Amino acid sequence: MPITCNVKDFMSTNPVTLSPDTDVMTAVHMLTEMRVPGAPVVDQVGNLVGYLAERDCLVAALNAAYHHESGGPVSEYMHGEIATVDVETSITDVAQLLIESGNRGYPVVKDDRLIGQIHRSDVLKALTLWRESPRGKE
């Protein structure tokens, strides 16, 4: 029996967001402190303009540590083409996307506006709760 819960039931509604002008090393610090694998990048009016993942930060961190270079703005490292999921997407569909893409999470949108974020850990929690529920044991 398919799981009937959607992204909206398990997403973070207050995701860490970054500005394109944020220094990438500041962003690295934020990601590691908040223990998130990436963050949506939004402009001044809240439009989703990119996504900065941990892997995008590796070059900047390596250059800063090894070559003693400054990082530069997030806009130089972020991905401009962003894979997102809709708030009404089922948890099973998101699980399949995560498996196929290798991504660790997705920004969640409603009517093309950022409203949250969902990570692998959120999907694992949803699947585990479903499995442990009476419906999951049928």
Side-chain angles (χ1 to χ4, degrees), residues 65-87:
Y66 188 73
H67 299 291
H68 305 290
E69 295 177 3
S70 63
V74 162
S75 61
E76 291 181 13
Y77 297 91
M78 70 181 193
H79 285 95
E81 292 186 27
I82 311 135
T84 62
V85 294
D86 186 84
V87 68

Side-chain angles (χ1 to χ4, degrees), residues 104-124:
R104 294 182 66 193
Y106 289 100
V108 179
V109 295
K110 180 177 181 178
D111 301 324
D112 296 323
R113 299 291 296 175
L114 177 68
I115 62 163
Q117 187 156 335
I118 191 152
H119 295 108
R120 287 180 186 167
S121 59
D122 302 318
V123 174
L124 286 170

Side-chain angles (χ1 to χ4, degrees), residues 17-97:
T17 59
L18 302 167
S19 161
D21 299 326
T22 302
D23 179 74
V24 73
M25 294 311 295
T26 300
V28 168
H29 180 71
M30 289 174 63
L31 295 178
T32 57
E33 285 293 313
M34 300 300 289
R35 295 182 179 203
V36 294
V41 181
V42 294
D43 64 15
Q44 294 174 345
V45 293
N47 294 317
L48 185 62
V49 297
Y51 191 84
L52 186 75
E54 288 173 320
R55 69 176 171 246
D56 302 322
C57 298
L58 286 174
V59 171
L62 180 61
N63 287 342
Y66 188 73
H67 299 291
H68 305 290
E69 295 177 3
S70 63
V74 162
S75 61
E76 291 181 13
Y77 297 91
M78 70 181 193
H79 285 95
E81 292 186 27
I82 311 135
T84 62
V85 294
D86 186 84
V87 68
E88 297 296 333
T89 305
S90 76
I91 287 295
T92 52
D93 288 346
V94 174
Q96 193 63 43
L97 284 172

